[in-house]
Amino acid sequence: MTDRYAVIGYPVSHSKSPFIHAQFAKQTRQDLHYDAVEVEVDALAEALAHLHAEPYRGLNVTLPHKVEVAKHCEQVSARAQLAGAVNTLLRTDSGWRGDNTDGEGFLRDLKRLGYAVRGARVLVLGAGGATRGILGPLLAEQPALLAVSNRNPWKPEALAEQFKAVGTVLPRTHLAIKGDRYDLIINATSAGHTGQMPRLPGPLLAQGGACYDLSYGSAFEPFAAWAREQGAQRISDGLGMLVEQAAAAFEIWRGVRPDTAPVLAALRS
Ligand SMILES: NC(=O)c1ccc[n+]([C@@H]2O[C@H](COP(=O)([O-])OP(=O)(O)OC[C@H]3O[C@@H](n4cnc5c(N)ncnc54)[C@H](OP(=O)(O)O)[C@@H]3O)[C@@H](O)[C@H]2O)c1
């Protein structure tokens, strides 16, 4: 019987995961089928039990279930606990094992692009779920400093507290970073989805600095325009992260790591 996998979310029809995993399966000659399953907020527990019984071998989890799904896992990896979110489920005989590959995917993409984190002054804009997922991997790379700035000033304070056993996160507000200079600025806000950009105070990027946005497609455009105004030599969107986090999930499920380059190229074309 062909092994079955799926992404669950609401909505989920826009998801690129079915395309990405179909490409991975073809490339690595794995016999599997990958669906997109729409699961409403109130139907999560029921859907997980149903998909387990089917049986699905693994699931990707997207919005709005990434936080809630951890409560339905029999085990949650250390990195998913730190991120406070689960994006990958592996079926066991008795339930689901939760993991989070977003941070790994993000870091692999930064390395693919040749962005240096070690010794760099790094600023992360936004303090939501995506920021929580990337802070652990960023701290592990030993930046000179890692600041998190957000519209709501309390969220960076809370993150600094949550991550203090892992490393130092400097909590900032968009006003308080005025006059600072950073070598790498990472946009982890969802502002681009409404065509917006966080209100930031003047120049923030050091000469020769780089900018990276977790968003892609039209949601990337406002940050890309701001980064160009800052004089960034290198600006990247989060499509590579999307493919890399999917590759990490695929490896958890199938024990083989696919080549991400041709899949990213196919998505871009
Ligand atoms: N490439 C990938 O694989 C990947 C993976 C995960 C996420 N992402 C992307 O990462 C982004 C963030 O996702 P998330 O899950 O962290 O979302 P989230 O938990 O809802 O957090 C959203 C963040 O954006 C800020 N924000 C929203 N609108 C804003 C505005 N107009 N001005 C200033 N700040 C604003 C929020 O600030 P407040 O706290 O002040 O409201 C909050 O910090 C999304 O674009 C998502 O698509 C990409």
Side-chain angles (χ1 to χ4, degrees):
M1 203 169 78
T2 302
D3 289 345
R4 293 167 77 188
Y5 298 84
V7 55
I8 60 167
Y10 190 85
V12 82
S13 58
H14 66 285
S15 174
K16 298 186 193 304
S17 293
F19 174 81
I20 294 171
H21 284 283
Q23 297 291 309
F24 288 166
K26 200 167 149 194
Q27 181 198 105
T28 59
R29 297 171 201 274
Q30 303 278 307
D31 182 21
L32 63 87
H33 181 80
Y34 192 102
D35 301 309
V37 178
E38 198 160 80
V39 176
E40 291 189 36
V41 176
D42 297 344
L44 181 61
E46 195 187 329
L48 288 172
H50 172 73
L51 294 168
H52 190 270
E54 276 285 307
Y56 278 76
R57 302 274 164 208
L59 301 172
N60 285 133
V61 184
T62 189
L63 296 176
H65 302 305
K66 280 183 163 186
V67 174
E68 198 63 22
V69 77
K71 296 178 190 157
H72 303 281
C73 295
E74 60 176 21
Q75 286 169 47
V76 175
S77 70
R79 62 184 180 175
Q81 285 179 36
L82 191 62
V86 163
N87 79 337
T88 302
L89 296 176
L90 175 68
R91 187 183 190 285
T92 68
D93 288 343
S94 49
W96 296 106
R97 187 177 301 155
D99 202 348
N100 190 319
T101 63
D102 276 344
E104 177 185 340
F106 164 74
L107 203 64
R108 278 185 184 271
D109 197 40
L110 278 193
K111 289 189 173 172
R112 177 186 68 84
L113 291 161
Y115 286 12
V117 175
R118 185 178 294 268
R121 294 163 293 175
V122 180
L123 171 66
V124 178
L125 301 170
T131 296
R132 278 191 67 141
I134 66 173
L135 286 183
L138 278 173
L139 285 167
E141 290 296 300
Q142 300 180 331
L145 66 86
L146 176 58
V148 173
S149 178
N150 194 49
R151 183 176 58 177
N152 172 333
W154 307 114
K155 286 191 191 171
E157 300 273 358
L159 283 178
E161 182 64 25
Q162 282 156 10
F163 279 82
K164 72 180 179 197
V166 185
T168 303
V169 171
L170 302 171
R172 295 285 184 263
T173 64
H174 295 339
L175 277 180
I177 54 178
K178 186 173 176 153
D180 290 357
R181 290 292 182 277
Y182 298 94
D183 305 304
L184 175 61
I185 300 181
I186 298 158
N187 181 30
T189 76
S190 55
H193 289 282
T194 51
Q196 292 177 304
M197 173 66 202
R199 290 162 66 98
L200 300 172
L204 292 170
L205 192 67
Q207 201 165 11
C211 289
Y212 186 99
D213 195 345
L214 268 59
S215 297
Y216 47 85
S218 58
F220 168 59
E221 284 165 19
F223 180 72
W226 177 84
R228 281 192 293 273
E229 279 169 26
Q230 294 281 316
Q233 297 298 310
R234 304 193 59 193
I235 310 168
S236 301
D237 69 9
L239 200 59
M241 172 181 171
L242 180 78
V243 178
E244 293 293 346
Q245 64 78 28
F250 192 90
E251 188 176 13
I252 289 169
W253 295 332
R254 308 297 297 183
V256 53
R257 180 168 277 274
D259 182 4
T260 51
V263 180
L264 181 57
L267 278 175
R268 291 219 186 273
S269 68

